[in-house]
Amino acid sequence: MKTKKLFLAPNAIALGLAMSVLLLGVSCDKGDDQETFDPPVIEITSPADLSDLQALVASPFSFTISVSADAGLSSVSLNGDNIKTYSQGETESSFEHEYIPTENGIISLIFVVEDAEGTTTESEVIELEAVGDFGFLLADFAGEEGSSVTLSTIDPTHWDADRTITTFNVNGNLSSSATFENVNNQFTIETGAANPDATPDIVYQGKAMKVIKQPAGWGASGWSHIMIGFDTSIDQAMVEELPQMNANLDGLTPGTKYVEIDVYYEDSEGLPFADMWGENVAIGDNPAFGSDKTRGYSIFLMLTKHADHRLNPDGSGMFIGYEKYITEANKWITLRFDELYVESGGNFYGSGNESAATSDVVDGVKIVAGGGYGDGQSDNAIYFRNLRIVDAE
């Protein structure tokens, strides 16, 4: 069987080659016609001056960031961690981001925007100096209050139930939230309150807890028990590094760590701070249990097992108590608790009290501000910031 051969005319061959070139050209032109997008844009609009930035350790530092992308926004990250995600179709955005430094030193920050095509653009490198060493932060008191419940549904075995339990947000090393209790309704409390100092030093900047005392229902003017619970125990080794009660129950052994808190006493014309303490105050007519009014305005601070102590003041759940005195009004000061609250020494673990807390279960703090100083129902607010444990210097 013979096979027939097919011959193409020269014109047909030329026409085939032309069609191939034409198709190839169409294919290339189709790729060239795909839409292209400019890279995304990122700008830090606040602070306006990004030089010589300082931030406070454990306090938020705010940036305002503006981004845009022709291809659509996908996300914004800071030093590799995502801080903002966008839904499909968004092409412009401006938002505020609060960065919280955790330790002292110079921190380099780079914001990165990514568009829907996967293209990224970096901000300039921002250098932020973090200052102020807050050690192990228990509570900053800057968080807003959340839910509040009354204690009327609980039957305490030994104490007045007339109080509220309020949850508030915490920036701290133990927990992101905590509770405080207004025992006997002896005060009003506001966490996240505005700073009373209009121009504070950087280590005292930020919001605070505001306390205004009022007489207790049982007539003890000026007493205020602030019961704070974290629901998480402080590390036992850290608790045992704090000053401990001595063998005579009348003082402390030195510690390698201390509890500190920032305090601001707000003076008023109606009840001047100078009339609250000092050798000229009629102490005999206005005693303050456990305090020496000639030394200043007392602050007691006790470490507790919160669940045990909150319903029983007489030793149960108390580990140790410290005291310190305020001697200046209308300014922020830092109190370091390096003295024993002697009056309740017999209630503490070091005394062998069976109902006291041990160092492995401390998850609460009680603060008594100026117990018995007679400034109930006054305008003299007391502010607290940054309850922490620090290394001895």
Side-chain angles (χ1 to χ4, degrees):
M1 177 178 166
K2 293 183 179 180
T3 302
K4 293 184 178 181
K5 295 182 179 179
L6 182 62
F7 292 95
L8 294 177
N11 289 343
I13 294 173
L15 180 62
L17 289 173
M19 289 296 294
S20 298
V21 171
L22 179 62
L23 290 173
L24 180 61
V26 169
S27 176
C28 293
D29 289 343
K30 187 175 181 179
D32 291 341
D33 288 343
Q34 284 184 336
E35 187 176 3
T36 59
F37 300 96
D38 292 331
V41 176
I42 185 168
E43 181 183 6
I44 313 301
T45 58
S46 179
D49 184 358
L50 295 177
S51 62
D52 300 323
L53 296 183
Q54 270 196 338
L56 188 62
V57 172
S59 293
F61 186 90
S62 183
F63 292 96
T64 302
I65 303 153
S66 293
V67 291
S68 62
D70 292 341
L73 293 165
S74 175
S75 64
V76 179
S77 61
L78 171 58
N79 289 0
D81 296 324
N82 185 69
I83 60 171
K84 183 78 171 177
T85 301
Y86 294 93
S87 59
Q88 188 174 3
E90 292 183 78
T91 59
E92 294 184 354
S93 173
S94 180
F95 65 96
E96 186 176 285
H97 175 70
E98 290 187 339
Y99 174 75
I100 301 177
T102 58
E103 59 184 12
N104 288 28
I106 302 295
I107 305 166
S108 295
L109 305 174
I110 301 177
F111 293 91
V112 178
V113 59
E114 181 176 351
D115 68 12
E117 297 288 303
T119 305
T120 60
T121 300
E122 295 183 353
S123 71
E124 62 180 290
V125 178
I126 302 168
E127 291 194 340
L128 181 69
E129 181 184 11
V131 300
D133 184 2
F134 291 105
F136 187 86
L137 185 63
L138 298 174
D140 61 344
F141 298 119
E144 299 295 334
E145 295 177 15
S147 61
S148 296
V149 297
T150 64
L151 196 62
S152 58
T153 56
I154 301 174
D155 182 21
T157 58
H158 185 76
W159 212 346
D160 193 302
D162 186 14
R163 68 178 87 171
T164 57
I165 306 171
T166 303
T167 301
F168 66 102
N169 298 327
V170 169
N171 175 29
N173 293 97
L174 279 185
S175 175
S176 60
S177 67
T179 60
F180 64 79
E181 299 189 25
N182 179 345
V183 180
N184 258 142
N185 289 327
Q186 296 170 95
F187 51 85
T188 60
I189 288 185
E190 177 188 357
T191 60
N195 197 311
D197 189 341
T199 57
D201 292 340
I202 188 169
V203 294
Y204 296 122
Q205 291 177 5
K207 296 181 179 180
M209 176 171 70
K210 180 180 181 180
V211 175
I212 298 179
K213 298 195 301 179
Q214 54 194 13
W218 41 274
S221 175
W223 281 88
S224 57
H225 294 252
I226 307 169
M227 311 277 283
I228 302 166
F230 301 107
D231 294 325
T232 302
S233 296
I234 306 172
D235 181 72
Q236 181 179 5
M238 182 176 292
V239 172
E240 292 177 351
E241 286 187 76
L242 298 170
Q244 306 294 307
M245 187 185 301
N246 64 24
N248 295 327
L249 311 185
D250 61 1
L252 297 174
T253 60
T256 57
K257 295 183 182 295
Y258 290 88
V259 179
E260 287 187 347
I261 194 169
D262 301 328
V263 183
Y264 186 106
Y265 186 101
E266 193 170 49
D267 206 353
S268 70
E269 293 183 2
L271 190 58
F273 182 66
D275 294 343
M276 298 298 301
W277 69 282
E279 295 183 3
N280 295 326
V281 173
I283 296 173
D285 297 331
N286 188 14
F289 178 77
S291 298
D292 181 356
K293 284 191 172 183
T294 65
R295 297 186 57 195
Y297 188 90
S298 67
I299 303 292
F300 303 148
L301 186 143
M302 301 168 188
L303 303 181
T304 69
K305 180 181 179 182
H306 183 65
D308 289 351
H309 183 64
R310 57 184 287 267
L311 298 179
N312 190 338
D314 295 329
S316 294
M318 297 172 68
F319 176 70
I320 197 168
Y322 304 109
E323 69 174 345
K324 205 67 180 176
Y325 290 85
I326 302 172
T327 58
E328 298 178 89
N330 298 325
K331 65 176 295 184
W332 281 107
I333 61 173
T334 297
L335 300 182
R336 170 172 288 192
F337 291 93
D338 53 8
E339 298 181 53
L340 178 69
Y341 176 49
V342 179
E343 292 293 334
S344 292
N347 289 330
F348 304 140
Y349 173 65
S351 69
N353 187 313
E354 293 181 356
S355 64
T358 52
S359 59
D360 60 324
V361 294
V362 173
D363 64 354
V365 170
K366 180 170 77 173
I367 299 173
V368 179
Y373 274 64
D375 55 345
Q377 293 183 318
S378 75
D379 294 328
N380 293 4
I382 307 166
Y383 296 82
F384 296 95
R385 297 184 66 258
N386 291 331
L387 175 66
R388 69 264 191 186
I389 297 175
V390 301
D391 291 331
E393 295 177 355

